Every structure is written in structure tokens, then in C-alpha cells.
């Protein structure tokens, strides 16, 4: 029998890949399997350059709260906005209320002040204002960027009222020519970039083509009294009492998650809000208000644990803003695997039971 060899170039199905920051597999085209040099050169090419190496003559200031030591996407976008607008002689100074160990150079920060005393769980508006004013006196920033939400938005507004600086809230777009678009009260407006810019989500892309110096500065917080303010502490509420759109940790069930008792117990043990796919809602296991997706809620949790959810395009639409997606699915080719940062190929019921036992054991050990 005559054997013919094709001259057409064929794709090696076992060619090497790297996992990108977004959890996507990126195939390295043209590389031979196991070619470490090529993998390394790929990483070297991906390494980003410093935004500027000039000495700083001016500064921009960014004020953000960390959540348990982490900066969410909105906070990172505020830093990125300052870095994108800064010219070569302008440094980006970031004050992290609550403090973080994350490398903020990756977000475009040149100097970072960590302030663990001022986390969002404590109500200390005067201290936060005193700190902001101390940094303003030191760096004389032309613009101050603050995410427009919760404790950050409150601080930005207080700062504007206290210092008389110009301010814009709900800023959805920034122009390179120094203007911004905002939607106060739901109506579009345009104005010159004010001194205090309160940024809506997605006003800037946090995925920058460069990095900042990321130097962590040692700086004391001015000790000030809290005239007229007494912090009565926090009262914890059930995660299901807050809107799904605001939940930071969501446990979500789909068609492959059947054990509702363990699901409820696990959500309670983890302190997670609960959500569901449309199929799980349609078959009556969850109320309609729990549906996540194109025809349900759009969520922006830091962690989204999807149990037995295939990841249909309509569902993925609702979780596009989630920071970390963890999928539990028996099928490693389910669409959710492409979106997930981590996938566990496992039975949802078995995993919930095991996780619940681990959490309960950890709790018991911590309280012993
Ligand atoms: C106009 C329109 C709007 C829609 N809007 C929405 C919406 O807002 N939200 C939404 O979610 N859907 C929506 N849908 C439906 C969507 O297309 C999907 O049908 C739905 O999301 C599928 O839900 P599911 O992943 O839970 O179920 P399935 O598609 O049945 O997937 C179940 C998954 O669980 C896995 N699995 C099975 N058993 C186990 C086990 N024991 N352990 C672990 N994994 C297991 C399977 O491998 C599978 O991947 C919409 C559809 C249309 C047409």
C-alpha cells in the first residue's frame, strides 16, 4: 500500500501553554513541547516596562480602602486611571486604608502608603480626612482619584466639603485631553477634570500596559481625636440580607447541585450569599431573585463558587465582573472552565460535604 506524507503543517495537540492572569489557557504558537527556553522568552516578552523613569515633579493621589488586605477591581481601576492620565514627570501616590501586601506597582502605583489602622470596618472619618490632608500637604496633587462607592465615596465627598476642592461624582469616562463624563442623577454631563474625581466602576481598565515603581512608603497616620463620633462597632447580618449585587462571596448552585440542605449549611458556614442558575430557579429550588445571568442579577463578588453550573453564555454574562471564579463540575470541558480561575472536576455533593466538614473542623479548632 502506498503511504503518502502530507506537507501541510499540523498543530501539535500537546504543544505547551501558559495560564494567563485571567485563567485562560494561552497556547504558545510555534513552540516545541517542553521547550523551556521558549516558555521563558514568552514570559520575558510579557514583562511590562516602567511607566516612567523620569524624576517626579508633580503627583496625583489615589485614596482606596482595602478589603481584608485585598484591593478589588474598582480600587485597581482608580489607581490605573491616575497612572493613565499621569505624564512622565507625575508620580502616582496611593494611600491604602486598611493596608495591603499586594504589589501595587502592577496597578500603576509609584508610591504606596499602607494604613492598616484605617480599615473599612472602623468608622473613623476624621482620621481618614486628616491622613488625606497630610498627603495633600506633602504631595500637592493636582487631582485626587477615589472609587465612588461605600467608604471611599464617603471619604471623597467629605474631603471635597472640608477642603473646598472641586469634585465630580459618578465619573464614567476620562478623556486624555483632561475632561471627564459623568452621570449625576442618571443624566450625562461633561466637565473639565476636577480636583477630586469620584470614579464609577469601569471608568478605566486596570490591565495596564506598564507598571509603576510600587515603592512602599513608611508614613505615620496623624493621630486626631474623633469629635462627636463614637464607633459602636459592627453588627453582623446574614449575607442573604444584602443584595446579591453587593455580595462579596457567592455560593451558586446549578442543575448539577442537588443537595439543598448541605448547600444551605455550607453557605451559612462560609458566610456566603447564595445565587443560582436559571435552570435551578426554573425547577423551583431557588427563588427567582437568586437568578444570576442575563435575565437575572449581575454580580461582582470577589469570589464566586459555581457548583454544578455549566457556564452558558447567559449565566457568564451575570458573573463577568467577578474577580475569582471557582467552578465545581464533573465535566472538565464545560464552558465555565474557560471562565474559571480554578476548576475542581468533582461531584458537587461530595465537594460540598467535604468542604463543610473542613470549615467546621477549622472553626472548632480556632475556638478551642
Ligand atoms: C433568553 C435566555 C436567557 C437566559 N438567561 C439566563 C440567566 O439569566 N441565567 C442563567 O443561569 N441561565 C440563563 N439562561 C439559560 C442558560 O442558557 C442555561 O440553560 C442555564 O444557565 C443552564 O443552567 P445550568 O448550568 O445550571 O444547567 P445545565 O446546563 O444542565 O448544566 C449543569 C452542569 O452541571 C454539571 N454537573 C452535573 N452533575 C454534576 C455533579 N453531580 N457535580 C458537579 N457538576 C455536575 C454538568 O456537567 C453541567 O455542566 C437563559 C437562556 C435564554 C435562552
Amino acid at each position: 500500500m502506498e503511504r503518502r506524507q502530507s506537507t501541510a503543517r499540523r498543530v501539535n495537540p500537546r504543544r505547551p501553554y501558559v495560564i494567563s492572569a485571567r485563567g485562560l489557557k494561552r497556547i504558545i504558537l510555534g513552540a516545541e513541547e517542553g521547550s523551556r527556553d521558549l516558555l521563558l522568552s514568552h514570559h520575558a516578552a510579557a514583562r511590562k516596562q516602567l511607566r516612567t523613569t523620569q524624576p517626579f515633579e508633580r503627583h496625583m493621589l489615589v485614596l482606596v480602602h482595602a478589603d481584608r488586605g485585598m484591593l478589588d477591581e474598582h480600587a485597581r481601576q482608580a489607581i490605573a486611571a491616575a497612572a493613565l492620565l499621569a505624564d512622565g514627570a507625575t508620580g502616582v501616590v496611593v494611600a491604602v486604608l486598611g493596608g495591603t501586601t499586594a504589589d501595587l506597582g502592577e496597578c500603576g502605583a509609584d508610591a504606596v502608603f499602607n494604613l492598616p489602622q484605617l480599615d473599612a470596618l472602623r468608622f473613623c472619618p476624621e482620621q481618614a480626612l486628616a491622613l488625606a490632608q497630610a498627603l495633600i500637604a506633602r504631595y500637592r496633587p493636582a487631582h485626587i482619584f477615589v472609587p465612588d462607592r461605600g467608604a471611599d465615596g464617603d471619604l471623597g465627598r467629605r474631603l471635597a466639603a472640608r477642603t473646598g476642592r472641586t469634585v465630580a461624582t459618578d465619573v464614567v469616562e476620562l478623556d486624555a485631553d483632561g475632561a471627564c463624563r459623568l452621570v449625576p442623577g442618571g443624566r450625562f454631563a461633561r466637565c473639565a477634570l476636577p480636583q477630586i474625581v469620584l470614579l464609577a466602576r469601569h471608568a478605566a481598565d486596570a490591565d495596564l500596559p506598564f507598571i509603576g515603581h510600587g515603592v512602599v512608603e513608611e508614613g505615620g497616620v496623624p493621630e486626631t481625636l474623633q469629635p462627636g463620633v463614637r464607633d459602636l462597632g459592627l453588627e453582623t447580618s446574614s449575607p442573604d440580607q444584602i443584595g446579591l449585587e453587593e455580595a462579596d462571596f457567592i455560593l451558586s448552585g446549578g442543575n448539577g447541585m442537588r443537595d439543598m440542605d448541605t448547600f444551605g449549611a455550607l453557605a451559612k458556614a462560609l458566610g456566603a450569599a447564595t445565587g443560582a442558575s436559571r435552570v435551578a430557579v426554573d425547577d423551583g429550588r431557588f427563588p427567582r431573585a437568586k437568578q444570576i445571568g442575563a435575565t437575572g442579577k449581575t454580580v461582582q463578588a470577589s469570589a464566586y463558587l459555581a457548583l454544578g453550573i455549566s457556564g452558558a453564555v447567559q449565566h457568564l454574562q451575570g458573573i463577568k465582573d467577578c474577580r475569582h471564579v471557582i467552578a465545581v463540575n464533573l465535566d472538565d470541558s464545560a464552558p465555565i472552565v474557560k471562565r474559571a480561575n480554578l476548576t475542581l472536576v468533582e461531584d458537587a455533593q461530595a465537594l460540598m460535604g467535604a468542604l463543610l466538614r473542613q470549615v467546621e473542623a477549622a472553626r472548632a479548632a480556632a475556638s478551642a
Side-chain angles (χ1 to χ4, degrees), residues 254-256 277-279 291-296 308-312 314-315 328-331 334 346-349:
N255 204 13
S277 73
R278 177 158 145 181
V279 169
Q291 182 178 320
I292 292 169
T295 45
I309 295 178
S310 60
Q314 295 90 352
H315 190 81
V328 180
N329 203 305
L330 285 174
D331 177 6
E346 180 56 273
D347 172 55
Q349 281 55 241

